[in-house]
Amino acid sequence: MKKNSIYILVLFIGVALVFAFFDLSHTKETSDTKEEVRGITFTPIGVERVEFGQPSGYSLYQRPRIEGSKTLGAAVFYENTEANKMFFLGGKGIPQEAPTTITLDIYSNEKKVSLQELLKGDTSYPLITETVKRVAIAGKDASYFEWDGLYRGRSVAIDHEGKTYIFSVTAMTQEDTILQAFDAMLATISFH
């Protein structure tokens, strides 16, 4: 009997190690093909039940859940510069503020509460409520809103099958190219 327990324990540990080795993240590239939208080249990727394009020249950082936030986690896209890579991946360098980014936050929203209720008290989005307006993204009703924190940001929230997907961008000025990449990314969104 003891031998069987040991074999089962070893098998269980082996399976756990295999899963840990293969990093079962929900973010994956869906193909090696590149697409061009509004003059910006994208690599299609998928997260949960949404697919969209990752702008070329941007790297992906998978941010874990933030304490004090209701988000389940996030995909953060940052411009490929050495300073930004050091900020997200660690390393020695000159201390800096967080760079501007494009972010996808995913919230559980099975009760289908309003955007204001969902983000109430959330440290990720200091919501400017007077900017919330209805828009259409990927054939779905969505909420566009602006917020203010370290940088000024704009976001689009889309509900799909018990989750709220919030695509956001931060920028230093209205002329920043990251805003064009964000608008083009929104045009690549599809749900399944």
Side-chain angles (χ1 to χ4, degrees):
M1 188 70 161
K2 248 184 177 179
K3 268 187 171 177
N4 287 342
S5 297
I6 291 172
Y7 288 130
I8 290 172
L9 180 62
V10 168
L11 179 63
F12 178 75
I13 291 171
V15 169
L17 289 173
V18 167
F19 278 107
F21 179 75
F22 284 109
D23 182 20
L24 293 177
S25 67
H26 293 300
T27 304
K28 63 179 177 40
E29 287 194 10
T30 56
S31 72
D32 291 330
T33 61
K34 303 274 186 200
E35 299 176 9
E36 189 167 315
V37 177
R38 298 184 184 173
I40 297 179
T41 305
F42 289 91
T43 300
I45 64 171
V47 177
E48 292 281 329
R49 294 189 164 116
V50 63
E51 290 185 359
F52 54 93
Q54 175 179 336
S56 61
Y58 286 78
S59 291
L60 169 64
Y61 170 74
Q62 292 178 270
R63 187 188 74 212
R65 187 173 188 275
I66 297 174
E67 193 64 37
S69 172
K70 298 174 188 174
T71 183
L72 301 175
V76 179
F77 301 94
Y78 60 91
E79 191 174 8
N80 286 334
T81 66
E82 286 305 313
N84 289 350
K85 286 178 188 176
M86 284 198 298
F87 179 85
F88 283 102
L89 304 177
K92 297 185 178 169
I94 300 170
Q96 68 177 30
E97 292 179 347
T100 58
T101 59
I102 297 173
T103 306
L104 166 61
D105 279 298
I106 303 172
Y107 290 78
S108 178
N109 191 7
E110 292 174 5
K111 294 180 182 176
K112 298 183 180 184
V113 299
S114 71
L115 179 66
Q116 287 84 353
E117 187 65 30
L118 183 68
L119 298 180
K120 189 176 188 177
D122 194 307
T123 58
S124 296
Y125 297 100
L127 186 64
I128 303 172
T129 54
E130 59 273 4
T131 66
V132 177
K133 57 184 167 186
R134 303 304 296 169
V135 296
I137 301 288
K140 294 185 165 289
D141 286 333
S143 296
Y144 167 89
F145 62 98
E146 295 178 0
W147 45 276
D148 207 354
L150 179 59
Y151 302 112
R152 183 84 176 196
R154 55 175 98 151
S155 300
V156 174
I158 309 161
D159 291 322
H160 180 70
E161 295 187 4
K163 297 214 175 10
T164 298
Y165 299 83
I166 302 180
F167 290 85
S168 302
V169 64
T170 55
M172 301 291 278
T173 70
Q174 293 299 319
E175 292 77 37
D176 285 358
T177 57
I178 196 169
L179 296 174
Q180 296 164 349
F182 178 70
D183 290 340
M185 179 188 273
L186 293 178
T188 68
I189 296 171
S190 65
F191 289 91
H192 52 87

